[in-house]
Amino acid sequence: MKILVVNAGSSSLKYQLFDMDTNAVLAKGNCERIGIDGVVTHKRPGKEDYKTNADFPDHKAAIACVLSLLTDKDKGVIASVEEISAVGHRFAHGGEKLKKSAVLGDQELEYLESIVGLNPLHGPPAISGLKACKEVMPSVNHVGVFDTSYYSDMQDYAYIYPIPYELYEKHKIRRYGFHGTSHRYVAAQAAEMFGNKNAKIITCHLGNGSSITATVNGKAVDTSMGFTPQDGVPMGTRSGAIDPTVVTFLQKAEGLTAEEADKILNKESGLSGVSGCGSDCRDIRDAAAAGNYRAQLAMKILCHNIKKIVGSYVAEMNGVDALVFTAGIGENDRDLREEVCKDMSFLGIAIDEEYNQNCPRGEVADITARGAKVKTYVIPTNEEYMIALDTQNLTK
Ligand code: AMP
């Protein structure tokens, strides 16, 4: 069974074609600069990457380009589009109703359109991508996989904010959680490695966007991201959690509109805002190593906040069996893992510092120190595979 996974952004459309019988990725790529001047990169394992300018004024043209590449005599990997059994679409937000991955019919599409206000950045392009794919591939099922759905089993006291309850009822302001597909994937892998699917697991997805999730018995019980992906630990350009009054204070003190305040907190804060060295963790690390105080401070703030959240989840779950690091920073920044896990022996967390510095990149690694009560793993995330798996399960 072959499944196409699509992740549509405002000016990009990423794709991966899976052969679910062998779990192999047959091809993957990215259509960028949709509606501007179009560039497509198409990759196949063991073959040279193909990159070219392409004319795609909209998502429909982009997906048509993807299908023609996938079926191309030279660059293709399948003989015809009919070989694609179903398409899985990544959605950041499924609102309160789409609690699980679902085949997207008219009703689901209508609901997704009704909640774009909750997800103004990612919702509209994901819907455009879905509509385009449905038009170009009308005879197969299209499945939506939602970042928020992993959190749909959380208790009300974990997702309701202590603001007037009527505001939750009226505007659906609550904790939704994001990156759920990644957390679900790595938590399941960790539970398997730990040998107990009921394990208590804390997963740290640390990338350009970052979030931490607590999982018990395969279900998320809490997460650091909230109403939007702005909450929790500091990120590349997002502040993460701050005293909410900072926002209104700033608006008054600097005479800012809501949009301007939002821009500061979403695009000019986090590691970038503190360090002044941009949002890429590697650049901040380089600056810190060269003695830049603000770069050093930014990394310390990040580690401090990760530690605080990990500790709070241990309290919430009355223990932890495994701690997982994933995504760009979690998988690659060895010093960050060391800093976060330092002085956590009270909680049973300790890592083998030498192996942490030397374990192979891009692979699952058990970096637990000998004798430590809690397992610490590095697990490369694979959201696309999870989307393909859900799509297969809903359509086979
Ligand atoms: P992601 O959003 O998961 O793609 O992660 C992107 C983040 O991972 C960026 O901040 C990168 O700087 C960071 N990253 C990637 N490789 C490394 C590395 N070797 N060391 C530190 N950070 C890295």
Side-chain angles (χ1 to χ4, degrees), residues 60-120:
K60 190 174 165 193
I63 190 68
C65 166
V66 170
L67 294 182
S68 90
L69 277 171
L70 290 173
T71 54
D72 185 85
K73 216 154 44 76
D74 299 324
K75 300 167 211 69
V77 288
I78 49 175
S80 93
V81 173
E82 267 75 71
E83 284 186 47
I84 300 173
S85 305
V87 185
H89 297 262
R90 183 207 166 211
F91 276 83
H93 217 307
E96 287 201 304
K97 289 201 178 139
L98 290 165
K99 295 184 171 192
K100 287 199 166 74
S101 302
V103 175
L104 299 175
D106 292 346
Q107 253 183 337
E108 288 79 12
L109 181 54
E110 211 171 284
Y111 177 67
L112 285 169
E113 284 179 320
S114 76
I115 59 162
V116 288
L118 292 175
N119 182 28

Side-chain angles (χ1 to χ4, degrees), residues 205-209 236 271 279-283 285 326-330 332-334 361 381:
H205 176 113
L206 309 171
N208 205 21
L271 296 177
S279 64
D280 193 303
C281 196
R282 286 163 290 201
D283 298 337
R285 279 289 189 208
T326 194
I329 299 173
N332 294 302
D333 193 323
R334 299 163 192 273
R361 254 179 225 286
T381 192

Side-chain angles (χ1 to χ4, degrees), residues 94-167:
E96 287 201 304
K97 289 201 178 139
L98 290 165
K99 295 184 171 192
K100 287 199 166 74
S101 302
V103 175
L104 299 175
D106 292 346
Q107 253 183 337
E108 288 79 12
L109 181 54
E110 211 171 284
Y111 177 67
L112 285 169
E113 284 179 320
S114 76
I115 59 162
V116 288
L118 292 175
N119 182 28
L121 273 183
H122 297 109
I127 290 171
S128 299
L130 169 67
K131 284 182 171 167
C133 290
K134 279 185 148 214
E135 255 185 271
V136 179
M137 286 178 280
S139 56
V140 297
N141 277 315
H142 293 261
V143 169
V145 178
F146 311 98
D147 279 2
T148 47
S149 59
Y150 190 48
Y151 305 105
S152 57
D153 291 311
M154 279 191 336
Q155 297 290 330
D156 46 7
Y157 55 77
Y159 70 75
I160 296 287
Y161 289 122
I163 58 174
Y165 192 81
E166 295 73 22
L167 293 177

Side-chain angles (χ1 to χ4, degrees), residues 45-332:
K47 303 255 168 74
E48 214 170 289
D49 294 354
Y50 172 75
K51 186 169 183 176
T52 186
N53 292 331
D55 183 26
F56 19 75
D58 53 26
H59 285 90
K60 190 174 165 193
I63 190 68
C65 166
V66 170
L67 294 182
S68 90
L69 277 171
L70 290 173
T71 54
D72 185 85
K73 216 154 44 76
D74 299 324
K75 300 167 211 69
V77 288
I78 49 175
S80 93
V81 173
E82 267 75 71
E83 284 186 47
I84 300 173
S85 305
V87 185
H89 297 262
R90 183 207 166 211
F91 276 83
H93 217 307
E96 287 201 304
K97 289 201 178 139
L98 290 165
K99 295 184 171 192
K100 287 199 166 74
S101 302
V103 175
L104 299 175
D106 292 346
Q107 253 183 337
E108 288 79 12
L109 181 54
E110 211 171 284
Y111 177 67
L112 285 169
E113 284 179 320
S114 76
I115 59 162
V116 288
L118 292 175
N119 182 28
L121 273 183
H122 297 109
I127 290 171
S128 299
L130 169 67
K131 284 182 171 167
C133 290
K134 279 185 148 214
E135 255 185 271
V136 179
M137 286 178 280
S139 56
V140 297
N141 277 315
H142 293 261
V143 169
V145 178
F146 311 98
D147 279 2
T148 47
S149 59
Y150 190 48
Y151 305 105
S152 57
D153 291 311
M154 279 191 336
Q155 297 290 330
D156 46 7
Y157 55 77
Y159 70 75
I160 296 287
Y161 289 122
I163 58 174
Y165 192 81
E166 295 73 22
L167 293 177
Y168 159 62
E169 293 178 309
K170 185 172 173 195
H171 297 291
K172 299 292 171 210
I173 298 171
R174 50 162 283 183
R175 184 182 300 283
Y176 287 100
F178 296 88
H179 291 148
T181 311
S182 170
H183 288 285
R184 179 158 60 105
Y185 176 78
V186 294
Q189 296 263 312
E192 208 173 300
M193 286 169 75
F194 187 71
N196 177 0
K197 67 177 178 10
N198 302 328
K200 296 170 180 173
I201 297 169
I202 299 175
T203 46
C204 305
H205 176 113
L206 309 171
N208 205 21
S210 297
S211 62
I212 305 182
T213 291
T215 294
V216 182
N217 297 337
K219 292 193 166 155
V221 293
D222 210 344
T223 189
S224 62
M225 277 187 168
F227 177 56
T228 69
Q230 162 73 300
D231 201 358
V233 292
M235 300 169 231
T237 60
R238 287 175 243 161
S239 65
I242 55 168
D243 179 343
T245 307
V246 170
V247 185
T248 44
F249 176 88
L250 252 182
Q251 285 188 269
K252 286 183 219 154
E254 299 267 322
L256 302 178
T257 62
E259 285 72 25
E260 286 164 338
D262 198 55
K263 184 166 166 254
I264 291 179
L265 296 171
N266 262 299
K267 305 245 189 267
E268 297 166 10
S269 295
L271 296 177
S272 168
V274 176
S275 71
C277 302
S279 64
D280 193 303
C281 196
R282 286 163 290 201
D283 298 337
I284 298 164
R285 279 289 189 208
D286 288 347
N292 182 312
Y293 162 75
R294 281 174 52 183
Q296 291 167 353
L297 179 64
M299 293 311 295
K300 280 188 191 157
I301 294 173
L302 175 61
C303 293
H304 174 72
N305 278 278
I306 296 169
K307 220 181 224 297
K308 268 198 332 196
I309 295 175
V310 168
S312 70
Y313 289 169
V314 176
E316 199 174 326
M317 296 190 290
N318 187 22
V320 60
D321 296 311
L323 174 67
V324 179
F325 289 94
T326 194
I329 299 173
E331 289 169 34
N332 294 302

